[in-house]
Amino acid sequence: MPNPASQGTTIAAIATAIVPEQGSIGIVRLSGPAAVSIAQRLFHAPGQQVWQSHRILYGLLRDPDSHQVIDEALLLLMLAPRSYTCEDVVEFQCHGGIIVVQQVLQACLQAGASLAQPGEFTLRAFLNGRLDLTKLKGWLIWWGLVLPRRPRRPWRAFREN
């Protein structure tokens, strides 16, 4: 049965704030049924590294068409349901800076992912049962979308359920 949240699509987005000339790490996140296959197309891990859930791999990110190296990176694999969205999730942890991170995102899109809409990872988490309304409200408070300022203990909403 297709997942109601993803409707069979795999999404990608930059998961870290990108500030010119600041930040040494940039993260690009994939979520959905093709996340692992897209990652295997883009990421080349030397040696006998095993692709297991909740493990970090070292390797090179390559353009899916030209096979030219984009960056040296780490890959974090989180298989469903043990991820934020309850879907297969892959994170590429690459060098920070706007150019490299955008190249990695573009490679994910070229390999078959769709650009995530704002809030789509959280929407999938909610629709897949990872977040209930209380936890969703906790995130909205944390992000400053419900109250004019962050509460002192925003994580309380996540621990109570």
Side-chain angles (χ1 to χ4, degrees), residues 4-81:
S6 67
Q7 299 175 6
T9 62
T10 297
I11 56 172
I14 297 171
T16 49
I18 303 299
V19 179
E21 300 177 20
Q22 294 182 11
S24 59
I25 303 295
I27 297 175
V28 175
R29 182 176 297 142
L30 290 162
S31 181
V36 175
S37 63
I38 289 170
Q40 289 172 331
R41 186 170 171 207
L42 302 177
F43 192 80
H44 303 274
Q48 301 296 318
Q49 298 178 62
V50 180
W51 288 61
Q52 291 180 328
S53 189
H54 295 81
R55 299 286 186 249
I56 296 174
L57 302 176
Y58 160 80
L60 298 175
L61 278 163
R62 296 183 183 268
D63 182 277
D65 299 324
S66 71
H67 305 289
Q68 195 168 16
V69 173
I70 299 170
D71 195 19
E72 182 179 34
L74 298 176
L75 177 145
L76 175 58
L77 177 63
M78 296 167 277
L79 298 178

Side-chain angles (χ1 to χ4, degrees), residues 48-123:
Q48 301 296 318
Q49 298 178 62
V50 180
W51 288 61
Q52 291 180 328
S53 189
H54 295 81
R55 299 286 186 249
I56 296 174
L57 302 176
Y58 160 80
L60 298 175
L61 278 163
R62 296 183 183 268
D63 182 277
D65 299 324
S66 71
H67 305 289
Q68 195 168 16
V69 173
I70 299 170
D71 195 19
E72 182 179 34
L74 298 176
L75 177 145
L76 175 58
L77 177 63
M78 296 167 277
L79 298 178
R82 294 181 55 217
S83 73
Y84 178 65
T85 60
C86 294
E87 301 174 332
D88 289 346
V89 171
V90 173
E91 287 186 354
F92 296 115
Q93 299 181 12
C94 53
H95 289 94
I98 198 162
I99 294 172
V100 171
V101 175
Q102 286 182 337
Q103 287 177 339
V104 173
L105 176 60
Q106 187 59 39
C108 292
L109 301 178
Q110 283 176 241
S114 299
L115 184 61
Q117 297 301 307
E120 191 170 354
F121 289 95
T122 298
L123 175 63

